[in-house]
Amino acid sequence: MPGVLKRTFTRGDLISTMGASDESKEMMNGQGSRKRKAEELVNGDTHVNGGLSTTNGIHANGAEADAGMSPEILAAVVHNISSQLPPEIEHISQGYMPLSRLITRLAQDTFNGLTETIKEMADMQPPTNNALSHVPNFGSAQASQVNIQKKTRMWDFAHDRRAKFIKILVLSQWSRQAESVGKVIDLNFWINSQRQLYKDATAWIGELKRILAPMKMPSPHLKTALEALSTGKAAWLPDLDYLHPEPLSPQQMLKALRTINTLLHIRLNLHETIPPAFKKFSISSGRVTFHARDEFELDLSIADEDPSSQLYFIDFRFSFSPCMTEIPGGWLRNEIEGKSNDVLRREGLAGCYNFLHDLVLTHKLRILRSQATEMVRARWSDNIRIEPVHRSLVLQYWLNRPGGKNWVEIGIDSGRKEKNSSSKSTGVPCIAIRWHRHGKEIDDFEIDMSLRHLSMEAILKQIIALHTNYIFRETKRRLRESPIYSRKVFALRHKASQTEPTNSHLQFQVTSACTVKIVQEPISGAFALIPLSSLHGRLERDLNSLRDPAAEAFSRIAFFRCISATEEAERRSRMLGWQSLKMQNPTQEIVKKHFGSDVMRLSFFRPASWGKEWSLAISTSMVGDFWWVVEVRDVSKNPSTAELASGQAQPIRTAFKISIAPKGTLVTNPSYSVLSDVENTAAAIIGQCIDCRELANAHIRHIQQKPSEPLGNVHVPDLLMFYENQEIGERGPQTLTKIPPWCHDVVKSSFRGLSRSRSSVITIVSIRLKGPVSNISKLTSTTSPSLAFHPTSGAVAFRLSTPIGQSSLPAILERLSRIGRLIRFLNILKRRALPCSHISLSSLSFTYAPSLTATIRFDTDAPMAIAFAPLNPHLRIQDFLASMLAAKPGLEYVTYVMELTLPLLRVFAAIEAVPRKPSSELHILPRAATWYRVRYEGPHLAYEIRLRQRSDHVLWFSRKATEQETPKQVVEAWDKLCRGRGEGWMGLRDGISAEVLGVEALIKRIDEVVREVAVGEEAENGKEEVAEKKEPVKAEVQIKKEKEVFVID
């Protein structure tokens, strides 16, 4: 068995054991008697060496046992030997752990240490000169120093890990002999335990002797005992013959007490010098009670009427808590009483007060120390430490906070006035407190130590409250220096508590919708933020890592405020479809150049409809949050040589500040309406910036002035362009310097928002005509909303939509050209006395006959066209009129032709509407706006009608066309018309002429003649068909009758 020290047995032992085994068998079998057992207990006869021995064995030295020993006997012998073995040595297994666990923990600890080392090396950044944390510093000296620190940190970590792994290697080599070493350890433990048993036995015997010493009865003195017991006295004892006084009655006791009270009054008022602390006293029951405030109560009395005799100690009580009110009888009370009487005899009341006062102060310190010890054991554990200082209590708090040490020292002040000190000192020792904050002693502070009710926790809480209030007060002071808090844009409040640190907090507003409260946990000194979020947790970790929060918390809170404002803007902007640009990372110089030196954080955005050249930016700092429209370079493209030469290769080219709030506003709530105003303003600024650049390149004078009609919170100035002494062109803008001749040279552009898709800028462009158009209000009775005319001043305004990022100048000049065309058309219609029903910069509708209107379309990207309603007679010649409209003289000639062709086209529509038989067809083919071909089928007739001028008259001339053979009846009828005359028309032998208004009667007459001829032909054809069909009808009737008969059969 492991751990058992084996015993070596001789052959005689085996035989003896065998004999014992046989006897055991007999006892088990119930054989033998009590007499035999008694005989076996008697020692056998003694023999010399080698002789028979009943006690020690069957044979003497070396005598062999019977050779015929059975296996049962051997088994019994072995069993008996096993039962006689000593108990096993205890195997030590406590405190052991597997080597694999040790290796695993070391590997995990190494990994964690490496991770922390890498994080610490990442935090070792060279200090920056600006608060922008994302701008790197390229100082060579600082970078090299940081690299040395990083290498030293990594070397220390590797050296420490190497030493630990060497220890593991040694342990692994020892573990190969673990079994042998374990046995040695077990044996060593057993030997030491045996030695300890011997020592304990010796110590117990000595202690027993010491305890029994007082219990020893002394030897009695029999002679004295006999005399005392028999006579009641001993002759050798002296007898002083004292007489016992008679017991006092209650009246005598009361009188004695009153006498003592009177003597005490006289003595204290006339003969004793009472120290200031004993000025308050009371006399009753034959004793004077001195009340030392918050310290003790002392009862004294007199034993003699002599004023010079001393006062004697009667009782002493503590008058503060926690403490026992009365001192029980025993060693302590006897010691206080003896010392007090001795001091009263030598020094009087002043000495007694000093002695007891010193005793009380020492006892109070002891109580405070014990309370501090309980705090260390309770919930303040691992956060406070008691320093061993003689007769003083030094308590260090916030052990786990980085930075300098903070501690409180409570001790006894001697009360002596220091040299060259102006403080008032009473000269009496007292309990005083000193406070060291970050290793520096603080002189000017006040706390209520409450010496009547001692509480170390309350004192420490007051000190921590002072420390917390100091941190919050300094942080608030620095925050108040920034404009956003000094101008009360955001709320800032510090609530201070002198007794409870948890009631102190610093509350400040970071954005319009977010308010944060910082509290400090009094036990550990850790900062906490309310409410808790991932962003707030980051600030909480930063504050808890500061070595001096009062001096360093401002920068962390300022950066946190900037991050909060930026993230709120990003969160709201995503709802509007803006894209956050993470690739924009300008250098410190560029940020300072375009946005100022106070910017702490900068974020870029781009609305969905914008190009890559422009973006929005929000700069946040303690000065305020401001929006910017930024012209950026596409970082995906390499800068050109020209850009490098002109300095335009920087990621940010220009930046314009956006003002959407009243002047002086530092922070704007990034609500959806505000962000929409930001986008509107930025789009307007982009358009005006591009226009101003092109105007400057073209050397055209331009200015910006205050808008005449502000658009809500969007304040974008109007742009005035002066085309003074510039070359002008009539047809469209060939260059930016050409404007139509009918208008003045001042053009005004006013911003009016974005389109519904938010991809175009809406502007109102206004210009004044050189000469007002008379009756324009009548001509423009139904003007399009995108165009407006002022009837008296001659001002013209139109609405323009320009894609964001493009110049509006070409579109403005093109619109001016179209307005000139529109005005020209309006003058034509005025001369023609044609009222307009709709006017816009792309179309013009007018009425040229009752219930008949025409629309002229003159879009920029399409040729000029004319359109009619579906039932309009002129729809037949729409294409011819459109071609005439594009040529000279244009609209005026078109309206003249429309007036001349209206009767003809109207009658064409009328005769086409007359119902005809399928065999009779009418085809009207226009060959030009004033030339038509009319063809009838059944009977056949074709003629042409054209508009021609004769002298000062315009007439329609009609001639019969020579196509195919015309029926004789039709020819005769046509010749008759050529020789006839009617209302507004007359025959010319070879043709017919008609006036403009008489052509309608002529066409109707020709149609009537053709229809009469057609009716006559149908009548003749009908008679012939009737004659041919009479005989077949009779035959059919006969056949029908035969069929009917057949069916009946």
Side-chain angles (χ1 to χ4, degrees):
M1 288 182 287
V4 177
L5 299 179
K6 296 184 178 180
R7 176 184 174 186
T8 305
F9 294 91
T10 63
R11 187 175 183 83
D13 294 333
L14 290 174
I15 296 173
S16 176
T17 305
M18 180 186 66
S21 179
D22 292 340
E23 295 172 0
S24 299
K25 288 182 179 179
E26 292 177 0
M27 293 174 65
M28 293 175 64
N29 294 329
Q31 299 176 1
S33 60
R34 184 180 303 273
K35 179 180 180 180
R36 182 179 178 182
K37 292 180 180 178
E39 292 175 352
E40 290 175 355
L41 294 176
V42 180
N43 291 336
D45 298 334
T46 305
H47 297 270
V48 189
N49 285 346
L52 182 61
S53 176
T54 307
T55 304
N56 295 330
I58 300 174
H59 296 278
N61 292 340
E64 295 182 359
D66 295 339
M69 187 178 296
S70 64
E72 292 79 2
I73 297 175
L74 290 175
V77 170
V78 173
H79 176 74
N80 196 10
I81 294 173
S82 300
S83 62
Q84 294 179 5
L85 289 175
E88 293 185 9
I89 296 177
E90 182 181 0
H91 178 63
I92 305 301
S93 60
Q94 298 178 355
Y96 282 75
M97 68 174 60
L99 182 62
S100 59
R101 184 184 302 173
L102 184 61
I103 296 175
T104 302
R105 290 185 178 178
L106 180 59
Q108 182 65 32
D109 184 63
T110 302
F111 176 76
N112 295 338
L114 180 60
T115 304
E116 293 178 0
T117 302
I118 293 175
K119 290 182 179 179
E120 292 178 4
M121 293 170 62
D123 294 338
M124 294 180 183
Q125 299 293 338
T128 58
N129 296 328
N130 191 281
L132 283 172
S133 62
H134 59 274
V135 180
N137 196 337
F138 299 98
S140 60
Q142 296 173 351
S144 62
Q145 185 66 23
V146 170
N147 290 335
I148 292 173
Q149 294 177 1
K150 290 182 179 180
K151 292 177 181 179
T152 304
R153 183 69 182 89
M154 180 56 74
W155 170 260
D156 294 340
F157 171 76
H159 183 73
D160 178 65
R161 294 292 112 178
R162 178 178 178 273
K164 291 186 178 181
F165 274 101
I166 289 176
K167 295 179 182 179
I168 290 295
L169 177 61
V170 174
L171 291 177
S172 65
Q173 293 177 353
W174 274 96
S175 65
R176 299 171 185 173
Q177 302 176 358
E179 183 176 359
S180 301
V181 174
K183 292 181 179 180
V184 173
I185 293 174
D186 297 343
L187 182 59
N188 182 56
F189 177 77
W190 181 81
I191 293 174
N192 291 334
S193 63
Q194 295 299 316
R195 291 175 179 173
Q196 186 63 35
L197 289 176
Y198 283 109
K199 293 180 181 179
D200 293 343
T202 306
W204 179 78
I205 293 173
E207 183 66 18
L208 181 61
K209 181 180 179 181
R210 188 186 66 82
I211 295 174
L212 293 178
M215 299 180 183
K216 183 179 179 180
M217 295 293 294
S219 299
H221 195 271
L222 299 178
K223 181 180 179 181
T224 305
L226 181 61
E227 183 179 1
L229 291 175
S230 59
T231 63
K233 62 180 181 177
W236 59 274
L237 292 176
D239 187 5
L240 302 179
D241 295 332
Y242 284 149
L243 299 177
H244 296 282
E246 296 180 1
L248 297 176
S249 63
Q251 292 78 10
Q252 292 174 340
M253 294 178 62
L254 180 61
K255 182 179 179 180
L257 293 177
R258 288 177 176 174
T259 302
I260 295 173
N261 292 342
T262 303
L263 294 175
L264 288 174
H265 275 288
I266 295 172
R267 180 169 180 172
L268 293 177
N269 290 312
L270 300 178
H271 304 285
E272 288 291 340
T273 302
I274 302 176
F278 281 173
K279 290 296 184 182
K280 183 180 180 182
F281 62 89
S282 61
I283 299 175
S284 64
S285 301
R287 64 180 68 182
V288 56
T289 302
F290 293 100
H291 304 275
R293 185 172 178 268
D294 298 340
E295 294 186 21
F296 59 89
E297 293 181 357
L298 176 63
D299 294 342
L300 300 178
S301 187
I302 58 176
D304 195 348
E305 296 182 0
D306 187 4
S308 61
S309 63
Q310 78 167 70
L311 294 169
Y312 288 93
F313 177 90
I314 301 298
D315 198 4
F316 174 78
R317 296 175 298 276
F318 292 111
S319 59
F320 60 89
S321 63
C323 185
M324 54 185 177
T325 56
E326 294 184 0
I327 301 177
W331 173 85
L332 178 60
R333 181 180 179 86
N334 295 335
E335 194 71 21
I336 295 176
E337 183 176 355
K339 186 67 175 176
S340 298
N341 288 330
D342 183 61
V343 173
L344 286 171
R345 180 178 57 83
R346 291 185 288 104
E347 302 178 13
L349 288 177
C352 183
Y353 170 76
N354 292 335
F355 163 68
L356 294 178
H357 177 65
D358 190 44
L359 174 65
V360 169
L361 294 182
T362 305
H363 188 49
K364 285 185 176 181
L365 285 179
R366 182 180 173 276
I367 293 175
L368 292 176
R369 181 184 292 274
S370 63
Q371 291 179 351
T373 304
E374 292 297 326
M375 292 170 60
V376 172
R377 296 172 181 172
R379 63 192 185 102
W380 290 79
S381 60
D382 299 332
N383 292 286
I384 60 175
R385 179 188 300 146
I386 302 175
E387 299 292 342
V389 179
H390 177 66
R391 211 186 179 192
S392 294
L393 173 61
V394 177
L395 186 64
Q396 182 183 351
Y397 62 94
W398 292 354
L399 299 179
N400 299 322
R401 278 207 60 85
K405 293 182 179 181
N406 307 285
W407 71 87
V408 179
E409 182 178 353
I410 302 176
I412 299 177
D413 188 5
S414 63
R416 292 189 296 269
K417 184 177 180 181
E418 297 180 0
K419 191 176 182 180
N420 299 327
S421 176
S422 60
S423 61
K424 296 181 180 180
S425 179
T426 60
V428 179
C430 61
I431 292 181
I433 184 171
R434 291 196 298 178
W435 176 31
H436 290 75
R437 184 179 64 211
H438 296 294
K440 299 179 180 179
E441 184 176 359
I442 307 301
D443 297 327
D444 187 14
F445 72 96
E446 294 182 0
I447 65 169
D448 181 15
M449 296 189 65
S450 184
L451 297 179
R452 185 174 184 84
H453 304 283
L454 296 178
S455 176
M456 188 64 225
E457 185 173 3
I459 295 174
L460 184 59
K461 280 187 175 182
Q462 292 184 61
I463 293 296
I464 293 177
L466 290 176
H467 198 159
T468 301
N469 292 331
Y470 164 73
I471 295 174
F472 289 161
R473 185 172 59 253
E474 288 299 312
T475 304
K476 177 185 177 182
R477 181 184 61 81
R478 297 199 61 188
L479 289 174
R480 185 66 72 184
E481 294 175 356
S482 58
I484 60 173
Y485 292 110
S486 62
R487 299 183 185 179
K488 297 184 179 181
V489 177
F490 286 158
L492 179 62
R493 178 172 175 264
H494 171 217
K495 180 182 178 181
S497 175
Q498 303 300 327
T499 57
E500 187 58 44
T502 55
N503 294 336
S504 298
H505 65 263
L506 179 63
Q507 185 174 353
F508 57 93
Q509 191 176 1
V510 293
T511 62
S512 301
C514 179
T515 301
V516 178
K517 180 191 295 184
I518 300 180
V519 296
Q520 190 172 24
E521 202 275 323
I523 297 179
S524 62
F527 292 97
L529 267 69
I530 302 174
L532 183 62
S533 65
S534 58
L535 184 59
H536 296 175
R538 189 187 311 172
L539 175 61
E540 185 175 310
R541 290 190 297 271
D542 291 343
L543 292 178
N544 290 327
S545 64
L546 298 178
R547 299 183 63 85
D548 187 3
E552 302 174 10
F554 165 76
S555 60
R556 304 303 175 94
I557 293 176
F559 192 67
F560 163 76
R561 197 213 73 80
C562 296
I563 293 179
S564 300
T566 302
E567 290 194 355
E568 183 178 4
E570 290 179 355
R571 185 172 61 257
R572 299 287 180 85
S573 65
R574 283 195 293 268
M575 301 299 294
L576 295 179
W578 292 6
Q579 178 187 1
S580 180
L581 304 179
K582 303 297 184 182
M583 297 299 293
Q584 297 293 341
N585 190 17
T587 61
Q588 179 181 355
E589 292 76 12
I590 295 178
V591 172
K592 184 182 296 185
K593 174 182 176 182
H594 295 286
F595 304 98
S597 59
D598 297 326
V599 177
M600 300 182 66
R601 189 170 178 85
L602 195 63
S603 295
F604 294 87
F605 308 91
R606 180 177 292 133
S609 59
W610 287 23
K612 294 183 178 181
E613 294 80 10
W614 296 90
S615 63
L616 289 171
I618 180 173
S619 62
T620 57
S621 65
M622 298 305 288
V623 177
D625 302 340
F626 304 103
W627 287 92
W628 304 77
V629 56
V630 183
E631 184 180 11
V632 299
R633 182 180 63 84
D634 190 359
V635 295
S636 61
K637 299 178 181 179
N638 295 326
S640 61
T641 306
E643 290 178 339
L644 292 173
S646 60
Q648 297 295 326
Q650 300 293 340
I652 296 179
R653 295 179 178 177
T654 55
F656 303 96
K657 192 174 182 180
I658 300 175
S659 299
I660 57 173
K663 188 175 181 181
T665 302
L666 301 181
V667 178
T668 305
N669 180 23
S671 60
Y672 301 119
S673 59
V674 170
L675 294 182
S676 179
D677 293 341
V678 168
E679 185 177 358
N680 292 344
T681 307
I685 292 175
I686 292 173
Q688 288 195 1
C689 177
I690 296 175
D691 292 343
C692 291
R693 284 182 185 173
E694 296 194 4
L695 292 172
N697 295 334
H699 304 289
I700 298 177
R701 189 169 68 91
H702 58 280
I703 61 172
Q704 291 178 323
Q705 68 177 10
K706 185 178 180 181
S708 56
E709 297 180 5
L711 188 63
N713 294 327
V714 180
H715 300 274
V716 180
D718 296 338
L719 179 62
L720 297 181
M721 296 164 279
F722 301 91
Y723 290 85
E724 300 171 347
N725 301 323
Q726 303 292 339
E727 181 184 1
I728 58 175
E730 181 180 358
R731 298 285 297 179
Q734 300 299 327
T735 64
L736 296 178
T737 61
K738 296 180 179 180
I739 61 173
W742 46 267
C743 59
H744 288 282
D745 55 2
V746 180
V747 180
K748 178 182 178 182
S749 176
S750 303
F751 175 72
R752 281 297 175 269
L754 298 179
S755 61
R756 290 186 177 181
S757 62
R758 308 192 72 81
S759 60
S760 300
V761 178
I762 306 300
T763 55
I764 299 299
V765 181
S766 57
I767 195 170
R768 191 179 299 276
L769 304 179
K770 289 184 177 179
V773 180
S774 60
N775 297 328
I776 193 170
S777 59
K778 296 180 180 180
L779 293 175
T780 59
S781 57
T782 311
T783 308
S784 171
S786 61
L787 180 64
F789 290 90
H790 196 278
T792 58
S793 64
V796 181
F798 57 88
R799 183 171 174 264
L800 186 65
S801 177
T802 307
I804 298 175
Q806 297 183 12
S807 175
S808 63
L809 298 182
I812 290 175
L813 297 180
E814 188 272 336
R815 288 293 181 92
L816 293 178
S817 177
R818 290 165 62 180
I819 290 176
R821 182 189 298 127
L822 177 62
I823 293 176
R824 188 171 66 253
F825 286 171
L826 290 176
N827 290 329
I828 292 173
L829 295 178
K830 175 187 174 183
R831 290 194 301 269
R832 301 289 300 167
L834 299 176
C836 295
S837 58
H838 175 76
I839 296 176
S840 68
L841 292 179
S842 59
S843 63
L844 175 67
S845 298
F846 60 92
T847 302
Y848 61 93
S851 68
L852 294 179
T853 60
T855 302
I856 308 298
R857 303 185 185 279
F858 40 92
D859 294 335
T860 304
D861 301 332
M864 197 177 305
I866 188 170
F868 300 96
L871 299 180
N872 195 300
H874 282 91
L875 190 63
R876 190 186 304 272
I877 59 173
Q878 180 177 353
D879 295 338
F880 296 107
L881 294 177
S883 60
M884 295 167 59
L885 188 64
K888 290 184 179 182
L891 179 62
E892 188 170 7
Y893 180 66
V894 168
T895 56
Y896 182 66
V897 170
M898 291 172 61
E899 181 183 359
L900 296 178
T901 58
L902 179 60
L904 178 63
L905 296 176
R906 185 184 295 155
V907 71
F908 279 164
I911 63 176
E912 282 182 338
V914 175
R916 302 178 186 275
K917 293 184 177 181
S919 59
S920 300
E921 296 182 1
L922 173 63
H923 300 282
I924 301 175
L925 305 176
R927 296 190 173 182
T930 57
W931 184 8
Y932 303 88
R933 183 182 181 87
V934 182
R935 184 174 64 187
Y936 289 91
E937 297 291 343
H940 174 73
L941 172 65
Y943 67 92
E944 293 182 352
I945 182 168
R946 298 182 67 177
L947 184 66
R948 292 184 178 179
Q949 187 171 1
R950 287 289 185 266
S951 297
D952 295 335
H953 299 281
V954 178
L955 300 174
W956 288 98
F957 288 91
S958 176
R959 295 180 182 275
K960 187 171 70 68
T962 58
E963 288 184 348
Q964 55 184 355
E965 184 177 356
T966 304
K968 181 178 179 181
Q969 295 85 346
V970 177
V971 173
E972 292 176 355
W974 178 261
D975 292 341
K976 185 176 180 181
L977 287 174
C978 291
R979 294 191 298 270
R981 178 188 296 270
E983 183 180 358
W985 62 274
M986 60 178 294
L988 300 177
R989 296 182 178 273
D990 58 347
I992 305 173
S993 65
E995 297 178 356
V996 173
L997 298 178
V999 69
E1000 189 172 358
L1002 173 62
I1003 298 302
K1004 288 182 178 180
R1005 180 58 185 156
I1006 294 175
D1007 184 69
E1008 291 175 357
V1009 170
V1010 173
R1011 284 192 287 114
E1012 289 175 358
V1013 173
V1015 170
E1017 292 181 352
E1018 290 178 359
E1020 293 180 359
N1021 294 335
K1023 292 179 181 180
E1024 294 177 357
E1025 291 179 357
V1026 170
E1028 293 177 355
K1029 291 181 179 180
K1030 285 182 179 181
E1031 293 299 329
V1033 169
K1034 293 180 180 180
E1036 290 177 1
V1037 171
Q1038 185 64 30
I1039 293 172
K1040 187 174 182 181
K1041 289 180 178 180
E1042 293 178 356
K1043 288 183 178 181
E1044 291 176 356
V1045 175
F1046 178 76
V1047 171
I1048 294 173
D1049 293 340

